[in-house]
Amino acid sequence: MSQTPPNPSPVPPPESSASWNLRSQVILCYVLFLMGWITGGFTTLIGFIIALVKRSDAKGTIWHGHFQNLTTVFFAMLALLLIAMFSFPIVLGAMLDSDLVWPFPAAVSLPILLWSVGVPVFLLWYLYRMIKGLKRALDDRAY
């Protein structure tokens, strides 16, 4: 009677280890983006660079949508930041000088509307996208 040797434990294919690596990088990026509110955006920039570099590596996997989400949110955040920075002097001037007569009331109302409505709505959108993406990444699902 010949005994067959026991099968060694299966070695995971390289694809699954690469997928695991992409998963951990996606989760890291989401955490860095969420920490960006505490660190003044520094960690968000690091997370964006990681997402930008790894986006091409993730093409054809479920992680590509996550990296795409992170880059989309970063560019939307950058656009809102630039608009808010350029409109801030107008809003501040309107608040500090109540006797100021503006030739066009829309010159003040649009930046004030942006700061009072747009920024909070964007914050909610940002948190929704980050928390939804992190939850889906933890569950091994595409964004």
Side-chain angles (χ1 to χ4, degrees), residues 55-120:
R55 187 172 57 176
S56 62
D57 294 345
K59 204 160 250 321
T61 67
I62 62 170
W63 307 113
H64 184 262
H66 288 281
F67 288 124
Q68 189 67 36
N69 174 48
L70 289 161
T71 55
T72 300
V73 169
F74 178 82
F75 283 124
M77 184 173 60
L78 184 63
L80 184 72
L81 177 68
L82 291 174
I83 292 169
M85 277 181 19
F86 288 120
S87 68
F88 183 72
I90 297 170
V91 173
L92 189 62
M95 291 174 147
L96 294 177
D97 191 7
S98 60
D99 296 333
L100 185 63
V101 178
W102 289 87
F104 301 102
V108 176
S109 63
L110 188 61
I112 289 175
L113 184 65
L114 172 74
W115 277 89
S116 62
V117 176
V119 172

Side-chain angles (χ1 to χ4, degrees), residues 26-39 41 43-51 67 69-75 77 126-127 130:
V26 163
I27 292 170
L28 173 68
C29 287
Y30 280 121
V31 170
L32 289 172
F33 267 67
L34 287 170
M35 285 176 43
W37 293 101
I38 299 168
T39 63
T43 58
T44 303
L45 185 60
I46 294 170
F48 166 71
I49 292 169
I50 294 170
F67 288 124
N69 174 48
L70 289 161
T71 55
T72 300
V73 169
F74 178 82
F75 283 124
M77 184 173 60
Y126 177 88
L127 288 172
M130 292 298 106

